Amino acid sequence: MEQQENWKNLLWAVLAITALTLAYYLYMDFYGWQQWQATTPQTDTPNTALSPQPHPSEPPPDTPATPPHTHHDTTLYFTNNLTTLALNLPTAQFNAWYLHEYTDWQGKTLALIQNTVHNALILQIGQWFWNSTQAHFQIISASDTHLTLRDSTQWGTIEYHLYADSQIPYIWHWQIQVTPTASTPNQPPLAELHWQHGFQPLEKHPDLERQYVTIYYRLREDEEVSSLSTREDDEEKIGVSLSWIAFKQQFFTLALFAQNGFPHAQLRIYEPEHTDSLLKIGEATLGLRWQQTGNTYTCHLQIFGGPNQFQILRSVGQDLEEILPLGWAIFRWITRWLILPFFHFLEQYIANYGIIILLLTIFIKLLLTPLTWRSYVAMAKMSALRPLLEELREKYKDQPQKLALEQMALMRRAGVNPLGGCLPMLLQLPILIAMYRFFPASIELRGQRFLWIDDLSTYDVLIQLPFHIPLYGSHVSLLALLLGISMILFSRFAQPDTTSQQYAWLKYVMPLILVFLFNSFPAALNLYYLYFNILGIGQSLLIRKWIRTDEIIKQVQQKAKQKQQARSFFEAKYQKWLQLQKETRQQQRRQRRKQQQQQQRRRP
């Protein structure tokens, strides 16, 4: 009969498997899925509108608008305090969208759009068709923040009114007016807006940035925010009204709003096959609704192009902040109502984000102190019972059922819960996962330096390898190495020794695996886990002095050696089950003997 392992060893094994599974899931969710995804061939005809373009000369923020007359292939620039928008004439194509307060990883003014967007408005009234890609707009009026364009056709006129929002500088209003002639049927135009958006790399590590690129949308009636896949090519046809759609990257977003909603939409996201200059390409075909005033039909759109900063997105309204990947259910609640307020409070007084992460870690550690205390006391009690449990295993090595019953009785007499050390640790996981979601989504950490770390929003590089290791990368992260060392020290000095030699290897294998997985995680996340482990070592050493482990061990051993008490409810049920199993086996043996006797009597 195989020797029955004690409760604590079994729980440590389960906890280890759970931790490894969780770490693997987090890694694949954050970095690794696309390494396993085969590129899906595109059967559609490739659109050449988003072919790679050279980086154009960036206009100065004070570039004046073009005077009110028309030139072919003219670029118009409009600017406010934070953004500059560029349109190409005569078709009024959106050509560029600059954010003055931000730069890309090369230090240039950040271009959210830069020859990477192709948009077309298609109208139909009766038998008449109009396509903006073939339009010849005339400038009616222009200033730094306002523009009016008009295209006149034989069936009517189309006007674009573009102007900056007075409250949110990242929003530009786009008003479309259609006025049919008297000979044209007086009916609302059938209209669709086709928008093709090329996501160009804005961060230093495109493979990491690509994990966050997708299209979000909000259902107007249900007020539910959903998205296409971030891990593979995806498309969706939506037959209900939408409030907005958003072309989201890791730290920046371009979103389209409709005052009366988009009655239907078809969305698609995919990786281009023949170019590395774009992370992905997003396509949206959106229906438009009109408001009629006399003989004029008006559609009011808004375009937001700005950072994925929680307060800014929330100020836009209509749940646009839901595009931030803060986790689901309880994880999102913890991040939104606990982590974010404290983080933004610290930002008001401290400029160094490495120090802010340290103070945030101390704050979380203080919140988890009661759970840490209970976990340490429970593990100390289990450590005290270890010699007695070894004696029971030796005594009942050939009676596994009796061994389990005696172990339960021993733990009950000693007042030890076998799950007492693990449950408090598991209850800490929601906060740890919330922090895992929080740091990669925080634009505040973008470009922030700390010690040897150039950018807290991406991984740090100690050594650049000349080759690529699957699931590890082509670099060595110093923070990941320090994190692994801190985990070994934490298990060595901060936790009571409750495991047998058979499971001692888990203390070294698990940190090694996590170092391998965390190598490509953002530096801010690894820095938080490093702080967490270091503070955990100090916290556990202090707890060890305060709770007097020797006295706990002495009390537990004294209780364990007391006489047998009345069995608990679970022990009584278990004993009854053992007795029932014993009676069942005896009855089966009697039936087999009876059948054998009957067979012998029938033989001649």
Side-chain angles (χ1 to χ4, degrees):
M1 184 70 65
E2 297 182 358
Q3 185 178 3
Q4 181 80 7
E5 293 297 330
N6 62 49
W7 279 95
K8 194 60 183 179
N9 290 338
L10 179 60
L11 290 173
W12 269 108
V14 172
L15 184 62
I17 295 173
T18 303
L20 291 176
T21 304
L22 179 63
Y24 178 76
Y25 167 77
L26 294 179
Y27 175 82
M28 298 302 286
D29 180 61
F30 184 84
Y31 180 74
W33 284 108
Q34 287 198 359
Q35 296 183 9
W36 302 95
Q37 296 288 346
T39 303
T40 304
Q42 302 294 332
T43 57
D44 299 339
T45 303
N47 194 319
T48 59
L50 297 182
S51 57
Q53 298 288 338
H55 195 294
S57 300
E58 298 173 3
D62 56 350
T63 300
T66 303
H69 55 80
T70 300
H71 295 283
H72 291 284
D73 299 325
T74 299
T75 300
L76 307 179
Y77 294 99
F78 305 90
T79 184
N80 56 22
N81 294 333
L82 300 179
T83 62
T84 293
L85 178 62
L87 272 77
N88 277 351
L89 290 183
T91 58
Q93 286 281 319
F94 290 93
N95 181 45
W97 190 300
Y98 297 96
L99 302 180
H100 302 165
E101 291 187 325
Y102 298 92
T103 60
D104 59 19
W105 67 275
Q106 296 176 325
K108 300 178 180 179
T109 301
L110 190 139
L112 191 58
I113 297 176
Q114 187 173 283
N115 296 326
T116 55
V117 165
H118 174 75
N119 56 278
L121 177 63
I122 299 176
L123 304 177
Q124 178 185 0
I125 300 181
Q127 61 180 348
W128 301 101
F129 288 88
W130 181 84
N131 191 323
S132 64
T133 60
Q134 301 173 356
H136 296 275
F137 279 102
Q138 304 287 325
I139 299 177
I140 305 303
S141 63
S143 67
D144 285 345
T145 58
H146 292 76
L147 173 68
T148 299
L149 302 175
R150 179 182 297 162
D151 183 28
S152 300
T153 67
Q154 57 181 339
W155 59 268
T157 61
I158 301 93
E159 289 189 358
Y160 284 1
H161 300 273
L162 191 70
Y163 55 94
D165 190 88
S166 59
Q167 297 181 349
I168 304 177
Y170 294 105
I171 290 180
W172 288 77
H173 295 261
W174 181 17
Q175 186 172 299
I176 305 170
Q177 290 185 347
V178 177
T179 305
T181 60
S183 60
T184 305
N186 187 12
Q187 62 185 31
L190 298 177
E192 281 189 339
L193 175 63
H194 298 266
W195 191 285
Q196 189 180 48
H197 188 96
F199 296 91
Q200 59 184 357
L202 303 176
E203 313 304 326
K204 187 175 182 179
H205 303 292
D207 291 338
L208 183 62
E209 183 183 6
R210 187 177 287 111
Q211 311 304 313
Y212 296 91
V213 174
T214 189
I215 300 176
Y216 278 80
Y217 60 90
R218 180 180 183 265
L219 302 180
R220 193 178 186 193
E221 294 183 0
D222 298 340
E223 298 183 352
E224 177 185 350
V225 177
S226 302
S227 69
L228 302 186
S229 175
T230 58
R231 302 171 181 171
E232 58 185 351
D233 296 352
D234 193 13
E235 61 181 320
E236 188 169 354
K237 188 174 183 179
I238 305 169
V240 297
S241 182
L242 302 182
S243 301
W244 50 260
I245 67 163
F247 299 91
K248 177 189 172 296
Q249 293 187 229
Q250 184 177 5
F251 294 121
F252 300 94
T253 292
L254 186 134
L256 302 176
F257 293 78
Q259 188 175 46
N260 298 315
F262 301 107
H264 59 83
Q266 186 167 351
L267 309 176
R268 183 188 178 199
I269 188 82
Y270 61 95
E271 290 189 35
E273 295 183 354
H274 306 296
T275 177
D276 295 330
S277 63
L278 297 176
L279 300 172
K280 294 181 182 180
I281 295 177
E283 296 177 352
T285 299
L286 308 170
L288 301 180
R289 283 195 178 103
W290 302 93
Q291 286 183 336
Q292 184 175 3
T293 304
N295 195 35
T296 300
Y297 298 93
T298 303
C299 180
H300 192 164
L301 305 178
Q302 293 177 335
I303 307 177
F304 168 85
N308 296 340
Q309 208 273 342
F310 184 83
Q311 286 91 341
I312 293 176
L313 297 178
R314 190 176 183 183
S315 67
V316 175
Q318 301 191 56
D319 299 326
L320 186 60
E321 72 274 8
E322 294 292 323
I323 68 175
L324 294 177
L326 301 180
W328 52 272
I330 187 174
F331 308 124
R332 188 175 190 89
W333 187 91
I334 291 174
T335 303
R336 179 165 181 175
W337 301 108
L338 179 64
I339 307 302
L340 275 174
F342 189 73
F343 183 82
H344 292 148
F345 170 77
L346 294 177
E347 277 187 310
Q348 299 175 12
Y349 305 99
I350 303 173
N352 190 311
Y353 280 86
I355 303 300
I356 291 178
I357 294 174
L358 173 60
L359 296 177
L360 183 62
T361 309
I362 294 175
F363 173 68
I364 298 299
K365 264 297 180 184
L366 292 176
L367 290 179
L368 297 177
T369 296
L371 294 177
T372 305
W373 182 283
R374 292 179 62 87
S375 177
Y376 190 87
V377 171
M379 289 190 293
K381 291 181 178 180
M382 282 299 299
S383 180
L385 286 183
R386 182 176 174 183
L388 299 178
L389 292 172
E390 292 290 345
E391 292 179 4
L392 289 178
R393 282 197 295 271
E394 182 65 26
K395 183 177 180 180
Y396 299 104
K397 59 182 180 180
D398 296 330
Q399 304 177 50
Q401 295 176 345
K402 181 67 173 176
L403 172 61
L405 193 61
E406 291 298 326
Q407 286 179 334
M408 292 173 62
L410 176 63
M411 293 181 185
R412 184 178 60 83
R413 292 197 305 272
V416 174
N417 183 354
L419 297 177
C422 297
L423 286 180
M425 298 174 64
L426 292 176
L427 291 176
Q428 299 180 28
L429 287 180
I431 292 183
L432 295 178
I433 296 177
M435 301 305 293
Y436 160 81
R437 289 291 186 180
F438 168 71
F439 285 115
S442 300
I443 190 174
E444 294 86 352
L445 301 173
R446 183 179 183 267
Q448 296 295 330
R449 301 176 62 89
F450 181 65
L451 300 178
W452 71 91
I453 306 168
D454 294 330
D455 188 349
L456 285 170
S457 68
T458 187
Y459 52 79
D460 65 305
V461 179
L462 175 63
I463 301 175
Q464 189 69 46
L465 303 177
F467 50 86
H468 179 82
I469 302 176
L471 294 180
Y472 183 76
S474 58
H475 68 280
V476 177
S477 169
L478 178 58
L479 273 178
L481 295 177
L482 295 177
L483 177 61
I485 295 173
S486 69
M487 294 178 65
I488 296 175
L489 294 177
F490 182 82
S491 61
R492 174 66 179 84
F493 296 106
Q495 294 180 339
D497 187 11
T498 60
T499 57
S500 64
Q501 294 298 324
Q502 183 176 356
Y503 292 93
W505 57 272
L506 290 174
K507 296 182 178 181
Y508 303 99
V509 174
M510 288 181 58
L512 180 62
I513 294 177
L514 293 179
V515 166
F516 197 83
L517 296 179
F518 279 46
N519 187 65
S520 296
F521 277 24
L525 184 63
N526 286 342
L527 184 62
Y528 166 77
Y529 288 147
L530 177 61
Y531 284 154
F532 196 86
N533 288 341
I534 295 175
L535 293 175
I537 294 174
Q539 185 183 53
S540 297
L541 293 177
L542 290 176
I543 291 176
R544 184 177 300 180
K545 291 183 178 181
W546 290 340
I547 66 175
R548 297 182 181 180
T549 307
D550 295 339
E551 293 185 5
I552 292 179
I553 293 175
K554 184 178 179 180
Q555 293 175 3
V556 170
Q557 290 178 346
Q558 288 177 352
K559 291 180 180 180
K561 294 178 180 178
Q562 293 177 358
K563 294 183 179 180
Q564 179 74 23
Q565 301 175 3
R567 297 186 182 277
S568 66
F569 173 79
F570 294 103
E571 289 180 86
K573 287 292 185 181
Y574 185 67
Q575 180 66 29
K576 185 177 180 180
W577 179 79
L578 291 177
Q579 184 64 28
L580 181 61
Q581 291 294 317
K582 182 178 179 180
E583 293 176 357
T584 301
R585 288 193 297 270
Q586 291 177 352
Q587 184 178 2
Q588 291 175 348
R589 284 196 295 268
R590 287 195 298 268
Q591 290 179 352
R592 284 196 298 269
R593 285 197 299 267
K594 186 176 180 180
Q595 291 176 356
Q596 292 175 358
Q597 291 174 359
Q598 291 177 353
Q599 291 176 358
Q600 289 177 357
R601 292 174 182 175
R602 293 175 182 174
R603 293 177 182 175

